Amino acid sequence: QVQLVESGGDLVQAGGSLRLSCAASGSIFSINRMDWYRQVPGKQRQLVASITSGGGTNYADSVKGRFTISRDNAKNTVYLQMNDLKVEDTTVYYCYAQVALRVGGPWYGYWGQGTQVTVSS
């Protein structure tokens, strides 16, 4: 099995910065895409940022220029550097990874347990 463990969520003032980390472990052969999502209670989970195994990135319009996604393939870890945080960024952040468990195997999707980010005014 595969586990994703997030860390780095905290309480921060508006304009501040946080760095989220998500480490994948278990029976991993390779990881394709790694994403960060966030979900406000009562709403659908929203893609915040995505990064491919080759380093290609994609961002939600609401975070462009403020958030940066990166990954360390050797550590199976994805990061989200969040700068100039706003009150509306407050919510739970989840990481997601597409993982192959064997050579030529299918990609399976796994979620982390979530980490709370709270931005105060």
Side-chain angles (χ1 to χ4, degrees):
Q1 278 296 343
V2 174
Q3 298 82 39
L4 301 182
V5 178
E6 298 121 332
S7 60
D10 206 343
L11 170 64
V12 64
Q13 284 193 326
S17 298
L18 283 176
R19 188 193 195 206
L20 306 183
S21 300
C22 173
S25 63
S27 303
I28 297 170
F29 173 71
S30 67
I31 301 178
N32 188 23
R33 206 180 79 211
M34 300 186 83
D35 304 338
W36 285 99
Y37 284 77
R38 62 189 182 187
Q39 186 171 24
V40 175
K43 294 193 175 181
Q44 275 194 321
R45 203 164 283 190
Q46 174 194 34
L47 179 65
V48 175
S50 179
I51 186 167
T52 67
S53 57
T57 59
N58 185 46
Y59 296 92
D61 288 342
S62 59
V63 306
K64 281 180 182 176
R66 300 189 297 123
F67 291 9
T68 302
I69 189 171
S70 61
R71 63 190 282 175
D72 184 332
N73 290 330
K75 295 182 179 179
N76 290 334
T77 299
V78 63
Y79 306 96
L80 186 68
Q81 177 66 44
M82 304 187 294
N83 298 328
D84 189 24
L85 281 160
K86 304 178 185 299
V87 172
E88 53 263 38
D89 294 319
T90 296
T91 190
V92 180
Y93 287 72
Y94 298 89
C95 70
Y96 171 86
Q98 283 183 335
V99 179
L101 306 182
R102 56 180 173 84
V103 177
W107 298 108
Y108 294 101
Y110 294 91
W111 291 94
Q113 81 287 353
T115 186
Q116 176 71 43
V117 171
T118 303
V119 184
S120 64
S121 58

